[in-house]
Amino acid sequence: MSVSHKQKRVWKYVEEGNLLKLKSYLRKHRDLDVNFSQGRRQRSPLHLACCRGDDAVLRLLLKHGADVLRRDRRGDTALHVAANRALKHGETAFEDLVVPLRKSCPEAMNTSNNAGVTPQDLLNWMKNRETAENTSRQPKADPEKEWMEKLFGECEDEFCETFGVYDADDFLPVDDDEEDYGDWADRIRKEYFDKKQAEAQRLAASSSGWKKKKSKEEREREEQSNKELHERLQREHEEYLARAARKEEETRQGKKRRYDERCAATFHGGSSQGNTKLTYRDIPWPAPQGTVQEMVDVMLHGVDRKDVVVFRKIVRKQQALWHPDKFAQRCEARLEEKDKQRILDTVTALSQELNRLAHSLRS
């Protein structure tokens, strides 16, 4: 099902965290359906709000009929995403995200994703972790549990930060058979819960009858099994970190390549001499929705900053390209009147940031 222009506007406001614009837009378009999915992960605006930890946008979407039970490609509901964030950020994320979602749709707490994990499972794990941390009777730290906590934290960081900030879908081919970070995290989490459930069943069985002491051979076998699991998880974890770094680099290179191509087409191509009007979106911004600093990072990606001579030369080239006066000579007559001031303000801010960077190289 295709996403309408109005729905794309809703997604943009949620992605930017622009509560006032989103509220005004939804008030203007009261019949607009906020239950839609887009992108490779097939996330809804409610998923996105949870991933960003934006409780104000989340409550607004719920008020306008957002479906808590709507699933993404991995079968996660928004409550799964909120529970994952609560695992990482603790009580604040729980109160801001999980509580309003649970109040809106209590049955979502027991809805399983493709890995068979429910939000309640995640919250139980969080509760057990906090209980363990507050228990003073524990004689020594559990290395397996510490590893799991670190592992889940890394996975959540990669999912919500790496793939949220750098939108790899724009530049990378989609491979539906390839296991991504989210799929891997779900698989590891399922294995962990299955193991804990099996341990609980064994304890229950042993407590109901005569308690049998483990033999030395059984203990050694169990220790070896745990060691192999730990080594496999660590190996896979390192492989996925390396893969995430490669994807991030490919994404940055793609943004830089697209920026250079659009600059050539807009400033140096034949179209620069034409009469085609330019809107804000037509200007070849390095990062159209990013900050000025993010734009500069895209411009200078791949340049060795330790090589001061080369780096200074590239900075000067970008200064000349975005100098307000030179930009006005090339493009001011072609700018759409409604976007003109916004375009010139952004060019000025970009030029000032480049000037600051050039000045720092001289000092």
Tab-separated table of all heavy atoms in Angstrom, residues 261-278 282-284 321 326-335:
chain	number	residue	atom	x	y	z
A	261	GLU	N	27.136	15.060	-7.000
A	261	GLU	CA	26.401	14.989	-8.269
A	261	GLU	C	25.363	16.112	-8.370
A	261	GLU	O	25.208	16.737	-9.425
A	261	GLU	CB	25.706	13.627	-8.378
A	261	GLU	CG	26.680	12.467	-8.590
A	261	GLU	CD	25.990	11.116	-8.470
A	261	GLU	OE1	24.788	11.100	-8.092
A	261	GLU	OE2	26.648	10.087	-8.739
A	262	ARG	N	24.664	16.376	-7.263
A	262	ARG	CA	23.640	17.432	-7.284
A	262	ARG	C	24.270	18.821	-7.407
A	262	ARG	O	23.714	19.703	-8.062
A	262	ARG	CB	22.772	17.347	-6.029
A	262	ARG	CG	21.906	16.095	-5.959
A	262	ARG	CD	20.912	16.189	-4.830
A	262	ARG	NE	19.935	17.218	-5.080
A	262	ARG	CZ	19.234	17.833	-4.137
A	262	ARG	NH1	19.424	17.522	-2.866
A	262	ARG	NH2	18.342	18.765	-4.439
A	263	CYS	N	25.446	19.006	-6.770
A	263	CYS	CA	26.150	20.289	-6.912
A	263	CYS	C	26.540	20.523	-8.368
A	263	CYS	O	26.362	21.623	-8.904
A	263	CYS	CB	27.403	20.302	-6.031
A	263	CYS	SG	27.074	20.678	-4.301
A	264	ALA	N	27.078	19.476	-9.004
A	264	ALA	CA	27.490	19.600	-10.397
A	264	ALA	C	26.295	19.922	-11.291
A	264	ALA	O	26.376	20.770	-12.190
A	264	ALA	CB	28.173	18.308	-10.861
A	265	ALA	N	25.164	19.269	-11.039
A	265	ALA	CA	23.975	19.483	-11.866
A	265	ALA	C	23.363	20.863	-11.643
A	265	ALA	O	22.884	21.506	-12.582
A	265	ALA	CB	22.941	18.400	-11.577
A	266	THR	N	23.413	21.346	-10.405
A	266	THR	CA	22.752	22.615	-10.077
A	266	THR	C	23.632	23.831	-10.348
A	266	THR	O	23.181	24.836	-10.905
A	266	THR	CB	22.328	22.629	-8.591
A	266	THR	OG1	21.508	21.495	-8.323
A	266	THR	CG2	21.551	23.897	-8.254
A	267	PHE	N	24.898	23.730	-9.962
A	267	PHE	CA	25.779	24.894	-10.050
A	267	PHE	C	26.624	24.947	-11.327
A	267	PHE	O	26.969	26.018	-11.797
A	267	PHE	CB	26.727	24.925	-8.842
A	267	PHE	CG	26.025	25.095	-7.532
A	267	PHE	CD1	26.483	24.448	-6.392
A	267	PHE	CD2	24.902	25.904	-7.417
A	267	PHE	CE1	25.847	24.606	-5.166
A	267	PHE	CE2	24.252	26.062	-6.206
A	267	PHE	CZ	24.721	25.408	-5.076
A	268	HIS	N	26.950	23.771	-11.874
A	268	HIS	CA	27.881	23.753	-13.002
A	268	HIS	C	27.275	23.205	-14.284
A	268	HIS	O	27.882	23.302	-15.330
A	268	HIS	CB	29.120	22.920	-12.646
A	268	HIS	CG	29.756	23.318	-11.356
A	268	HIS	ND1	30.184	24.608	-11.113
A	268	HIS	CD2	29.996	22.618	-10.225
A	268	HIS	CE1	30.690	24.673	-9.889
A	268	HIS	NE2	30.577	23.486	-9.322
A	269	GLY	N	26.075	22.584	-14.180
A	269	GLY	CA	25.450	21.998	-15.366
A	269	GLY	C	24.726	23.029	-16.201
A	269	GLY	O	24.639	24.217	-15.867
A	270	GLY	N	24.169	22.537	-17.291
A	270	GLY	CA	23.435	23.450	-18.179
A	270	GLY	C	22.205	24.024	-17.533
A	270	GLY	O	21.775	25.128	-17.854
A	271	SER	N	21.635	23.266	-16.541
A	271	SER	CA	20.407	23.746	-15.912
A	271	SER	C	20.631	25.001	-15.095
A	271	SER	O	19.710	25.734	-14.787
A	271	SER	CB	19.830	22.644	-15.003
A	271	SER	OG	20.757	22.318	-13.991
A	272	SER	N	21.934	25.253	-14.728
A	272	SER	CA	22.209	26.444	-13.917
A	272	SER	C	22.010	27.729	-14.701
A	272	SER	O	21.903	28.805	-14.138
A	272	SER	CB	23.644	26.386	-13.378
A	272	SER	OG	24.569	26.423	-14.442
A	273	GLN	N	21.973	27.616	-16.045
A	273	GLN	CA	21.776	28.805	-16.874
A	273	GLN	C	20.314	28.954	-17.308
A	273	GLN	O	19.958	29.880	-17.996
A	273	GLN	CB	22.662	28.708	-18.135
A	273	GLN	CG	24.150	28.471	-17.834
A	273	GLN	CD	24.747	29.587	-17.015
A	273	GLN	OE1	24.377	30.749	-17.164
A	273	GLN	NE2	25.685	29.242	-16.132
A	274	GLY	N	19.489	27.975	-16.933
A	274	GLY	CA	18.097	27.990	-17.383
A	274	GLY	C	17.217	28.862	-16.521
A	274	GLY	O	17.674	29.592	-15.651
A	275	ASN	N	15.930	28.753	-16.780
A	275	ASN	CA	14.956	29.575	-16.053
A	275	ASN	C	14.147	28.760	-15.062
A	275	ASN	O	13.145	29.238	-14.542
A	275	ASN	CB	14.005	30.252	-17.059
A	275	ASN	CG	14.754	31.223	-17.963
A	275	ASN	OD1	15.630	31.951	-17.491
A	275	ASN	ND2	14.407	31.218	-19.255
A	276	THR	N	14.555	27.514	-14.816
A	276	THR	CA	13.817	26.666	-13.886
A	276	THR	C	13.917	27.222	-12.472
A	276	THR	O	15.005	27.510	-11.979
A	276	THR	CB	14.390	25.234	-13.908
A	276	THR	OG1	14.409	24.757	-15.247
A	276	THR	CG2	13.546	24.308	-13.041
A	277	LYS	N	12.775	27.376	-11.830
A	277	LYS	CA	12.746	27.901	-10.469
A	277	LYS	C	13.227	26.839	-9.484
A	277	LYS	O	12.944	25.651	-9.634
A	277	LYS	CB	11.324	28.341	-10.105
A	277	LYS	CG	10.875	29.606	-10.814
A	277	LYS	CD	11.704	30.813	-10.355
A	277	LYS	CE	11.188	32.112	-10.960
A	277	LYS	NZ	11.988	33.271	-10.492
A	278	LEU	N	13.953	27.281	-8.467
A	278	LEU	CA	14.506	26.378	-7.463
A	278	LEU	C	13.781	26.564	-6.133
A	278	LEU	O	13.722	27.677	-5.594
A	278	LEU	CB	15.999	26.660	-7.260
A	278	LEU	CG	16.909	26.449	-8.477
A	278	LEU	CD1	18.329	26.908	-8.149
A	278	LEU	CD2	16.903	24.995	-8.908
A	282	ASP	N	15.224	21.785	-3.939
A	282	ASP	CA	16.046	21.661	-5.155
A	282	ASP	C	17.506	22.038	-4.926
A	282	ASP	O	18.372	21.695	-5.740
A	282	ASP	CB	15.463	22.547	-6.274
A	282	ASP	CG	14.098	22.069	-6.719
A	282	ASP	OD1	13.875	20.843	-6.700
A	282	ASP	OD2	13.253	22.917	-7.074
A	283	ILE	N	17.778	22.764	-3.854
A	283	ILE	CA	19.164	23.156	-3.562
A	283	ILE	C	19.929	21.901	-3.113
A	283	ILE	O	19.415	21.113	-2.319
A	283	ILE	CB	19.207	24.223	-2.453
A	283	ILE	CG1	18.332	25.439	-2.850
A	283	ILE	CG2	20.643	24.659	-2.184
A	283	ILE	CD1	18.770	26.119	-4.122
A	284	PRO	N	21.144	21.694	-3.589
A	284	PRO	CA	21.878	20.455	-3.252
A	284	PRO	C	22.487	20.483	-1.854
A	284	PRO	O	23.714	20.433	-1.684
A	284	PRO	CB	22.972	20.403	-4.329
A	284	PRO	CG	23.231	21.828	-4.675
A	284	PRO	CD	21.885	22.509	-4.599
A	321	LEU	N	31.993	27.727	-2.946
A	321	LEU	CA	30.726	27.212	-3.465
A	321	LEU	C	29.528	27.791	-2.713
A	321	LEU	O	28.484	28.089	-3.307
A	321	LEU	CB	30.724	25.684	-3.362
A	321	LEU	CG	29.628	24.935	-4.118
A	321	LEU	CD1	29.769	25.140	-5.619
A	321	LEU	CD2	29.691	23.444	-3.786
A	326	LYS	N	28.408	34.827	-3.849
A	326	LYS	CA	28.577	34.025	-5.056
A	326	LYS	C	27.363	33.145	-5.320
A	326	LYS	O	26.967	32.932	-6.469
A	326	LYS	CB	29.844	33.180	-4.938
A	326	LYS	CG	31.108	34.020	-4.904
A	326	LYS	CD	32.363	33.159	-4.831
A	326	LYS	CE	33.613	34.030	-4.824
A	326	LYS	NZ	34.851	33.239	-4.725
A	327	PHE	N	26.779	32.636	-4.244
A	327	PHE	CA	25.563	31.840	-4.405
A	327	PHE	C	24.436	32.699	-4.986
A	327	PHE	O	23.693	32.268	-5.865
A	327	PHE	CB	25.132	31.250	-3.055
A	327	PHE	CG	23.872	30.442	-3.115
A	327	PHE	CD1	23.903	29.083	-3.454
A	327	PHE	CD2	22.634	31.016	-2.850
A	327	PHE	CE1	22.743	28.343	-3.518
A	327	PHE	CE2	21.471	30.281	-2.913
A	327	PHE	CZ	21.527	28.935	-3.247
A	328	ALA	N	24.333	33.930	-4.485
A	328	ALA	CA	23.291	34.831	-4.972
A	328	ALA	C	23.493	35.151	-6.453
A	328	ALA	O	22.529	35.220	-7.230
A	328	ALA	CB	23.281	36.111	-4.141
A	329	GLN	N	24.746	35.347	-6.863
A	329	GLN	CA	25.020	35.625	-8.286
A	329	GLN	C	24.573	34.470	-9.177
A	329	GLN	O	24.045	34.676	-10.257
A	329	GLN	CB	26.513	35.876	-8.485
A	329	GLN	CG	27.004	37.186	-7.888
A	329	GLN	CD	28.517	37.319	-7.967
A	329	GLN	OE1	29.186	36.492	-8.585
A	329	GLN	NE2	29.049	38.359	-7.334
A	330	ARG	N	24.807	33.239	-8.698
A	330	ARG	CA	24.465	32.071	-9.516
A	330	ARG	C	22.980	31.757	-9.509
A	330	ARG	O	22.415	31.379	-10.525
A	330	ARG	CB	25.228	30.836	-8.995
A	330	ARG	CG	26.690	30.789	-9.336
A	330	ARG	CD	27.237	29.386	-9.084
A	330	ARG	NE	27.039	28.973	-7.707
A	330	ARG	CZ	27.932	29.109	-6.733
A	330	ARG	NH1	29.100	29.647	-7.015
A	330	ARG	NH2	27.686	28.709	-5.513
A	331	CYS	N	22.356	31.895	-8.326
A	331	CYS	CA	21.019	31.288	-8.184
A	331	CYS	C	19.894	32.209	-7.712
A	331	CYS	O	18.723	31.818	-7.785
A	331	CYS	CB	21.111	30.114	-7.194
A	331	CYS	SG	22.268	28.830	-7.662
A	332	GLU	N	20.202	33.397	-7.197
A	332	GLU	CA	19.145	34.186	-6.553
A	332	GLU	C	17.978	34.474	-7.498
A	332	GLU	O	16.817	34.428	-7.093
A	332	GLU	CB	19.715	35.497	-6.014
A	332	GLU	CG	18.686	36.288	-5.207
A	332	GLU	CD	19.299	37.486	-4.507
A	332	GLU	OE1	20.442	37.862	-4.850
A	332	GLU	OE2	18.635	38.048	-3.613
A	333	ALA	N	18.263	34.748	-8.752
A	333	ALA	CA	17.192	35.076	-9.695
A	333	ALA	C	16.280	33.887	-9.955
A	333	ALA	O	15.137	34.056	-10.395
A	333	ALA	CB	17.795	35.559	-11.015
A	334	ARG	N	16.769	32.681	-9.669
A	334	ARG	CA	15.986	31.480	-9.963
A	334	ARG	C	15.270	30.928	-8.733
A	334	ARG	O	14.586	29.911	-8.825
A	334	ARG	CB	16.911	30.391	-10.527
A	334	ARG	CG	17.628	30.812	-11.798
A	334	ARG	CD	18.707	29.809	-12.156
A	334	ARG	NE	18.146	28.467	-12.294
A	334	ARG	CZ	18.804	27.351	-12.005
A	334	ARG	NH1	20.037	27.411	-11.543
A	334	ARG	NH2	18.223	26.178	-12.182
A	335	LEU	N	15.439	31.558	-7.580
A	335	LEU	CA	14.838	31.019	-6.360
A	335	LEU	C	13.342	31.311	-6.298
A	335	LEU	O	12.896	32.415	-6.608
A	335	LEU	CB	15.524	31.616	-5.124
A	335	LEU	CG	17.030	31.355	-4.984
A	335	LEU	CD1	17.548	31.991	-3.704
A	335	LEU	CD2	17.336	29.868	-5.012
